[in-house]
Amino acid sequence: MKYFIHLLLVVLLTIYERCNAQSCAVDSIPVKENLDLKRYAGKWYAIGKKEPEGLFLQDNISADYTVDDDGTMTATSKGRVKLFGFWLICADMAAQYTVPDPSSPAKMYMNYQGLASYLSSGGDNYWVIDTDYDNYAVTYACRSLKEDGTCNDGYSIIFSRNPRGFSQAIMRTVRQKQEEMCLSGQFQPVLQSGAC
């Protein structure tokens, strides 16, 4: 009888943990509610990143977002990229953003193009996971999904308005967002030396 009760408790605990476990399905990742693009606009410096597969900006990454009178957001970005495994060169990128669902302005689609022939062009989902507009922003993009709805290939950038980063209190908030995206421990720091 004791064995049966013990087994029942283990099964119930397992069911409880599964019900309360965080889902890593991309569709379940929360984004910034009522994102205000005009407040989001301006200069941001990358201080942390989780890279996708393939070529990606290495360091000195910054982005300058602008919002037109009609609400269209565009950005120019800079950063160093490593070519041929050893050659670091500053690269310029440009992007245009659309909001497919106006009820969720934080879930955008980004069309980007490298401003040199050796840089890639294409499109990605671009989600603003969280921002306080004045200090930090956490962005996320999933390029392809697995059958279970989790991300197969994606990236995330942690931005700061200050190239030197932000306070420990804000870092705690950012770490919580990394956990919500199921990317805890997968970020690396981004050097901001002014090289670009």
Side-chain angles (χ1 to χ4, degrees), residues 52-127:
E53 296 174 9
L55 188 64
F56 198 70
L57 296 175
Q58 178 143 351
D59 59 31
N60 289 283
I61 303 167
S62 64
D64 198 356
Y65 296 88
T66 58
V67 178
D68 297 337
D69 291 336
D70 66 358
T72 302
M73 188 166 79
T74 58
T76 56
S77 58
K78 296 178 180 287
R80 287 198 310 177
V81 65
K82 188 182 282 188
L83 299 175
F84 311 114
F86 64 90
W87 186 27
L88 282 172
I89 184 167
C90 289
D92 294 310
M93 305 285 287
Q96 300 81 35
Y97 300 82
T98 56
V99 178
D101 179 3
S103 69
S104 186
K107 290 185 175 183
M108 294 173 265
Y109 188 79
M110 171 181 64
N111 285 304
Y112 61 90
Q113 51 276 183
L115 300 180
S117 61
Y118 53 83
L119 296 173
S120 61
S121 295
D124 290 329
N125 289 313
Y126 180 88
W127 293 2

Side-chain angles (χ1 to χ4, degrees), residues 1-6:
M1 183 69 169
K2 280 186 173 181
Y3 175 76
F4 176 75
I5 292 173
H6 187 300

Side-chain angles (χ1 to χ4, degrees), residues 22-32 48-50 126-131 136-142 145 149-152 154-159 171 173-187:
Q22 175 187 358
S23 172
C24 291
V26 172
D27 287 342
S28 70
I29 296 173
V31 296
K32 176 73 175 177
K49 65 179 177 174
K50 187 271 180 203
Y126 180 88
W127 293 2
V128 178
I129 302 302
D130 196 23
T131 184
Y136 77 95
V138 179
T139 65
Y140 176 77
C142 182
L145 292 174
T150 60
C151 191
N152 184 49
Y155 60 94
S156 179
I157 299 177
I158 299 165
F159 285 112
M171 196 62 215
T173 301
V174 168
R175 284 196 183 110
Q176 175 64 38
K177 298 305 173 183
Q178 290 172 331
E179 289 176 18
E180 290 173 9
M181 295 183 296
C182 299
L183 296 176
S184 186
Q186 297 183 44
F187 285 77

